[in-house]
Amino acid sequence: MIDFAKFSIFTDAIKGGFGLLSSGVIDVWTIVLTSLKVSSLAVSIALLIGIPFGYYLGTRRSVSRTTALVIANAGMGLPPTVVGLFISMLLSRRGPLGDLGLLYSQTAMVIAQIVIAAPIVAAIVASGVSAVPAQLRLQVRSLGASRIQEAVLTLKESRMVLFAAVAAGFGSIISEVGAVQMVGGNLEGETRVMTTAIVQFTRMGNYPEAVALAIVLLAIIIAVNVFVTLGQTSSDRHTKAIN
Amino acid sequence: MSLVKNRVKFLCAALLVALSVFVLSGCGAKAPQKVTKAPTPKQVNMVLASTTSTQDSGLFDVLIPAFEKANPTIKVQVVAIGTGEAIQKGRDGDADCLLVHAKSDEEQFVKDGYADSRADVMYNQFVIVGPANDPAKIAGSKTAAEAFKKIADEKAKFVSRADDSGTNKKELKIWKAAGITPSGSWYKKSGQGMGETLKMVDELGAYTLTDQATYLVMEKEKAIESKVLFAGAPDLFNQYGVLVVKGAKQEAAAQTFHDWILSKEAQQTVIKNFGTADFGSPLFTPNAK
């Protein structure tokens, strides 16, 4: 049933992949840099939008807040292809924002990735912030802290969750292919990112190139998670020290 | 105490064994059920690797049902990819039959021993499309190579599929004939199929080389506004060929398809009439010998 000799398709591709990476074939690194640039920018903006929104959702108690939380949680499961579809129509020359000429540009990819990542950030921040005891916030308020100081303190208390929000947001968009393919178009040297290139190379049967990019993508995902785990464990120590 | 522990261990082990027996027997019982369910036991699934143009133009929507009607025991699974990928699939043994359009690559495929022969099936033409105002003034060129040269001289945007497809191979041949190695920000590589690339061309106000069938279908659906600016030159001729992959899993079925598509029925009734109702003229011209 399983022809073990044919596993050479993997070993050959992995060998070829590492060869491409070490030989410094510039093509691969251009793609990696584009990925990092677009996704970092998108996640930064998603944090700017998602953190205040998540803070609001996590600290207010009202019907509108519950509704908004449902929307944010649903947003976490927003299918990227659906985001790709709507952003494509929005930015198409025949669409309402067509005059900007943004379709098939890095800007379009950043916009789509913000839409995907912002609800994820907001929902995770909301859950983290709501775990901070309300009494703590009341106390600092009674000690004369402003609303902003209160928010900063609450967010500081839930910084473990902030790490998770960054990781989840970044992880979801750097590994995403549907939306970036639709709005970016996989143009070489412009909007070709790791995921769209992996799809293309796989379709063309160029497995070593695809594997080279897969190795880098996996390494980035692992690095992000190491960063988050370290952040979380240092927080743990911090809490233990207080106790 | 240890006795109790041992007993728990024994019970766990027994439970595990029982569970695995249950699962295994469950799997065993399912297999024969499937066999009795199949209505026609001799049905074979043949993989036909072809280009996006034959799929996107809708030709397969009429061609495949007609073939399956004539050969009810064969089910055709179409994998519509670029010609380069299709040929690679043939080499890997992942396709039984190829319907592609890159004659020199097809001949190489035969030379390398992956097929006994290739046969002409039909042809249509490539066209150069671009924005209606034709910034590089390519209309009125004598050859496609001359048109490409004008595009390069103007540094007008051009989107290449750059995906090793038949259309991409043709495009590179024309650049070569024009004596130009295209590069620079005006020359964009999409790495995607014809439909997506045409949409991109439309959005960017760029030029591209496309097969006529895909263009006509997309234009009819009002998916694009780009215009055909150059057509009809001898260097835009687009020949399709059929090949049976030697030693493929369903070689016999592939041979049946090969013979059928070259038959008078497929050529004169199906291919020759396809598209006439929608476009006023056929999209492909049959030319099997």
Side-chain angles (χ1 to χ4, degrees):
Chain A
M1 274 279 271
I2 297 176
D3 186 348
F4 286 97
K6 285 191 177 165
F7 272 107
S8 61
I9 190 176
F10 286 96
T11 49
D12 290 350
I14 291 169
K15 252 185 251 162
F18 273 111
L20 278 174
L21 292 177
S22 57
S23 69
V25 173
I26 203 74
D27 198 22
V28 170
W29 293 112
T30 313
I31 295 170
V32 172
L33 284 178
T34 311
S35 269
L36 287 175
K37 185 181 151 198
V38 168
S39 295
S40 317
L41 185 59
V43 87
S44 307
I45 300 172
L47 286 172
L48 289 179
I49 301 168
I51 291 178
F53 194 60
Y55 174 75
Y56 174 78
L57 293 181
T59 50
R60 294 289 173 278
R61 297 274 176 274
S62 68
V63 177
S64 63
R65 179 251 178 201
T66 314
T67 321
L69 196 56
V70 168
I71 293 171
N73 280 326
M76 284 181 82
L78 204 58
T81 25
V82 174
V83 174
L85 167 68
F86 285 110
I87 304 287
S88 288
M89 289 167 70
L90 198 65
L91 298 182
S92 163
R93 280 207 309 201
R94 277 175 284 161
L97 298 180
D99 288 341
L100 300 174
L102 286 179
L103 198 59
Y104 306 124
S105 70
Q106 290 188 0
T107 312
M109 296 164 87
V110 171
I111 293 171
Q113 293 194 340
I114 292 170
V115 175
I116 295 168
I120 297 177
V121 171
I124 295 179
V125 168
S127 76
V129 167
S130 64
V132 175
Q135 290 92 324
L136 179 81
R137 298 210 322 273
L138 282 175
Q139 199 178 1
V140 294
R141 291 281 287 162
S142 70
L143 290 172
S146 67
R147 285 266 177 210
I148 299 203
Q149 285 170 321
E150 177 199 341
V152 169
L153 183 90
T154 314
L155 287 170
K156 248 186 181 169
E157 278 305 305
S158 47
R159 67 184 164 285
M160 257 169 72
V161 176
L162 288 182
F163 275 114
V166 176
F170 186 76
S172 69
I173 55 181
I174 200 149
S175 355
E176 194 279 326
V177 61
V180 293
Q181 177 98 275
M182 289 155 100
V183 306
N186 188 37
L187 288 169
E188 189 183 89
E190 293 175 48
T191 57
R192 185 164 299 171
V193 289
M194 285 186 275
T195 51
T196 57
I198 290 173
V199 169
Q200 188 203 336
F201 286 136
T202 307
R203 279 200 316 133
M204 290 167 66
N206 295 346
Y207 295 130
E209 278 93 338
V211 168
L213 288 166
I215 292 168
V216 178
L217 183 55
L218 285 174
I220 289 171
I221 300 280
I222 291 170
V224 167
N225 281 289
V226 166
F227 164 75
V228 172
T229 315
L230 286 180
Q232 289 185 338
T233 45
S234 75
S235 282
D236 277 351
R237 275 202 299 280
H238 176 71
T239 343
K240 269 180 201 145
I242 291 175
N243 292 341
Chain B
M1 192 66 186
S2 71
L3 201 80
V4 175
K5 248 187 194 167
N6 274 342
R7 229 177 238 180
V8 171
K9 262 187 198 166
F10 174 76
L11 273 176
C12 282
L15 206 70
L16 213 72
V17 170
L19 203 73
S20 45
V21 166
F22 176 74
V23 170
L24 284 176
S25 64
C27 290
K30 252 183 202 165
Q33 266 178 358
K34 255 183 195 165
V35 173
T36 49
K37 255 187 199 167
T40 41
K42 273 189 180 166
Q43 182 109 358
V44 294
N45 290 325
M46 179 199 106
V47 177
L48 174 67
S50 188
T51 74
T52 50
S53 54
T54 41
Q55 170 102 318
D56 294 351
S57 64
L59 174 67
F60 280 154
D61 295 340
V62 294
L63 196 70
I64 305 293
F67 170 73
E68 287 179 346
K69 206 178 157 200
N71 299 274
T73 58
I74 303 173
K75 186 152 177 23
V76 181
Q77 296 173 323
V78 175
V79 186
I81 41 185
T83 290
E85 301 164 48
I87 288 178
Q88 187 58 43
K89 272 203 178 296
R91 287 179 197 270
D92 291 344
D94 291 331
D96 302 303
C97 194
L98 308 178
L99 182 62
V100 289
H101 58 143
K103 201 168 176 180
S104 55
D105 289 34
E106 293 160 31
E107 280 160 353
Q108 188 62 44
F109 191 80
V110 174
K111 219 183 264 172
D112 292 344
Y114 290 103
D116 281 327
S117 63
R118 77 165 285 287
D120 285 344
V121 175
M122 59 195 184
Y123 65 87
N124 64 358
Q125 62 163 341
F126 287 108
V127 293
I128 303 175
V129 301
N133 63 350
D134 190 9
K137 304 272 167 290
I138 64 163
S141 304
K142 284 192 184 66
T143 61
E146 189 190 330
F148 270 29
K149 195 169 178 311
K150 285 179 183 167
I151 293 171
D153 287 347
E154 277 297 311
K155 293 203 189 317
K157 279 183 202 160
F158 186 98
V159 184
S160 168
R161 282 176 61 179
D163 63 348
D164 211 20
S165 59
T167 309
N168 181 223
K169 285 170 195 287
K170 185 76 173 184
E171 179 216 318
L172 296 179
K173 246 183 214 164
I174 298 173
W175 284 119
K176 208 172 170 191
I180 292 166
T181 314
S183 68
S185 64
W186 61 275
Y187 185 73
K188 298 175 183 299
K189 299 178 180 176
S190 73
Q192 299 195 67
M194 199 68 253
E196 285 107 329
T197 302
L198 275 172
K199 272 210 66 197
M200 212 176 278
V201 160
D202 208 48
E203 289 288 340
L204 299 174
Y207 290 93
T208 199
L209 179 76
T210 174
D211 66 286
Q212 193 184 27
T214 309
Y215 171 79
L216 285 175
V217 170
M218 289 196 58
E219 194 213 20
K220 184 165 178 281
E221 286 170 357
K222 303 212 185 306
I224 50 172
E225 289 166 355
S226 300
K227 296 276 170 283
V228 171
L229 298 170
F230 186 74
D235 55 350
L236 289 174
F237 186 71
N238 182 21
Q239 176 68 50
Y240 288 81
V242 66
L243 301 99
V244 175
V245 180
K246 216 196 260 181
K249 217 170 155 192
Q250 303 296 347
E251 195 178 347
Q255 189 64 48
T256 311
F257 181 80
H258 170 275
D259 297 345
W260 179 82
I261 201 170
L262 301 176
S263 73
K264 207 176 162 194
E265 186 205 342
Q267 292 267 310
Q268 300 304 321
T269 330
V270 185
I271 298 174
K272 201 176 177 182
N273 290 326
F274 173 68
T276 314
D278 285 337
F279 303 103
S281 63
L283 292 185
F284 297 93
T285 310
N287 68 338
K289 288 171 194 96

